[in-house]
Amino acid sequence: MNLRWIGVFLVVAGCGGVGFGMAWNYKREEGALRQILRVLDQMLCELEYRMTTLPELFRRGAEISTGSVRKLMDCMAVELEQQIAPDAACCMKVALQKTPELPSKAADALWELGSSLGVYDLPGQQMGIRAVRDRCCTLLQEMESQHTQRIRSYQTLGLCAGAALAILLI
């Protein structure tokens, strides 16, 4: 009899953990997009006023970011400095492969950034950065408008699924 209740508790806790994990991933995605926006703003200023090289742009981006965004910025700077790949898009592809923990929406935005850098002249690069920035702003606004509902839904869904499964197993 006691083992049954332990099993019920473990099922509910496991499913609840999945729901809370999904909520944590949602928050992590929002945080990554915020960091990317900060980095893009700095890149625009650096390009406009200092005409900073691409490796240095990513080094400075790493200085103002944390976690997986920082890791990607560092990887990208190294790839660009080593010139292993022939262009920024290839360097970004390698950097993204080395940073699998980066949230998917953030990775998509950074892939778009890598595809636009180093291809055009200065105004073209600035326009590419602004386009990625606008996309990130739109994604972040959508996520923020649904934040409370999504977080609560993920957590509730996890706990309710656990409870339903436990009832079926009893």
Side-chain angles (χ1 to χ4, degrees):
M1 181 95 162
N2 285 338
L3 283 177
R4 184 178 294 188
W5 289 111
I6 292 172
V8 166
F9 172 76
L10 291 175
V11 167
V12 172
C15 290
V18 169
F20 279 85
M22 290 171 65
W24 179 78
N25 282 334
Y26 193 84
K27 291 177 186 177
R28 195 171 62 96
E29 185 101 52
E30 282 182 329
L33 287 172
R34 278 191 199 93
Q35 287 185 51
I36 291 170
L37 282 172
R38 218 173 36 244
V39 168
L40 293 175
D41 286 340
Q42 178 164 344
M43 283 182 171
L44 281 170
C45 291
E46 291 282 336
L47 280 175
E48 188 168 339
Y49 298 110
R50 293 187 186 177
M51 295 176 121
T52 308
T53 63
L54 287 179
E56 186 61 26
L57 277 177
F58 283 94
R59 286 264 178 246
R60 292 188 183 186
E63 291 172 3
I64 63 167
S65 55
T66 60
S68 58
V69 174
R70 180 187 193 111
K71 182 179 175 186
L72 179 116
M73 293 291 158
D74 278 333
C75 278
M76 184 64 174
V78 169
E79 292 296 323
L80 286 167
E81 288 168 349
Q82 293 177 349
Q83 287 297 311
I84 294 171
D87 61 7
C90 291
C91 290
M92 183 60 80
K93 182 179 180 182
V94 171
L96 286 168
Q97 288 172 347
K98 291 181 178 179
T99 319
E101 66 274 10
L102 192 68
S104 62
K105 290 180 184 176
D108 291 345
L110 289 168
W111 169 247
E112 186 179 331
L113 175 67
S115 299
S116 68
L117 290 177
V119 177
Y120 306 106
D121 59 350
L122 180 62
Q125 288 189 53
Q126 290 172 326
M127 190 167 44
I129 292 172
R130 283 188 186 97
V132 174
R133 187 186 183 293
D134 291 345
R135 180 173 179 223
C136 286
C137 279
T138 302
L139 286 171
L140 188 59
Q141 286 173 350
E142 288 173 7
M143 290 183 79
E144 286 175 341
S145 70
Q146 301 171 354
H147 177 86
T148 305
Q149 296 158 327
R150 287 269 179 128
I151 299 298
R152 191 175 304 134
S153 295
Y154 289 145
Q155 293 169 344
T156 303
L157 181 63
L159 291 172
C160 289
L165 187 57
I167 290 169
L168 287 174
L169 294 175
I170 291 181

